[in-house]
Amino acid sequence: MDAWTAGYGLSLSLIVAIGAQNAFVLKQGLLREHVLPIVLICAISDALLIAAGVAGFGGLTLALPWLEPVMRWGGAAFLFLYGAKAFFAAWRGAGALKGGGAAAPSLWAAVATCLLFTWANPHVYLDTVVLLGSVSSQYDDRLSFALGASAASLTFFFALGYGARILAPVFAKPRAWQVFEAMVGAIMWAVAATLLF
């Protein structure tokens, strides 16, 4: 199998699973707030991590054994708090799309949240640096593998961020937002639990 195609397919299969980062990108896409910077941050971050994995930096956690538990506990705490915020929004009933007249978060707040979802999540490192990095060693053309994997990330995040607007009519109803926020809260807490247990 061509290295580019293999990288693209494996990366897409890993990234398509619903997780904290994907839920955040979907929400920003539904709200049509700061979509371009958010999808670029996700795609560029993935490309950097994939490049690190293909270059052989997967052994970093072996060299720094304290790094994994710090990331795991910090990531779990962040996901727990963000999940609690989503559950509170569901309980409160934030309203329809552009919900309840609430002020949109600033670009910097959205970027900071996106960076946390991306870089403070140990699952991202396992998927990109460790798994994609180790699979890339099976191919002579590791650069093509990395480019294919990065292209999958770019494709997925743009499709998720900008494709979310197709769901806008559904999220014009306040009840849909309550269900969505509850699902986001459940996803955040489930990911936090997998980090801890």
Side-chain angles (χ1 to χ4, degrees), residues 3-88:
W4 191 94
T5 306
Y8 190 95
L10 180 57
S11 179
L12 193 60
S13 70
L14 293 171
I15 203 169
V16 80
I18 295 295
Q21 185 186 46
N22 293 353
F24 180 73
V25 173
L26 179 61
K27 183 174 183 177
Q28 292 302 119
L30 286 168
L31 294 172
R32 299 183 188 190
E33 293 172 355
H34 319 301
V35 178
L36 182 61
I38 296 305
V39 298
L40 285 175
I41 286 169
C42 293
I44 291 169
S45 296
D46 272 7
L48 292 172
L49 290 166
I50 290 164
V54 170
F57 288 107
L60 184 63
T61 55
L62 296 175
L64 303 171
W66 55 267
L67 185 60
E68 189 272 333
V70 167
M71 287 177 51
R72 187 163 39 93
W73 284 93
F78 171 72
L79 291 169
F80 179 79
L81 291 173
Y82 198 91
K85 180 182 168 197
F87 280 127
F88 181 72

Side-chain angles (χ1 to χ4, degrees), residues 77-144:
F78 171 72
L79 291 169
F80 179 79
L81 291 173
Y82 198 91
K85 180 182 168 197
F87 280 127
F88 181 72
W91 175 74
R92 191 183 65 208
L97 193 59
K98 288 291 184 192
S106 70
L107 171 63
W108 300 115
V111 164
T113 302
C114 184
L115 287 170
L116 275 170
F117 278 133
T118 302
W119 291 92
N121 181 359
H123 288 297
V124 172
Y125 294 92
L126 290 173
D127 288 348
T128 56
V129 178
V130 177
L131 184 59
L132 288 171
S134 63
V135 171
S136 73
S137 65
Q138 300 173 15
Y139 295 91
D140 293 329
D141 191 357
R142 293 172 71 178
L143 177 60
S144 287

Side-chain angles (χ1 to χ4, degrees), residues 166-186:
I166 296 169
L167 299 173
V170 173
F171 285 92
K173 300 177 180 110
R175 187 73 173 153
W177 270 110
Q178 285 182 287
V179 170
F180 179 73
E181 291 287 9
M183 287 174 40
V184 168

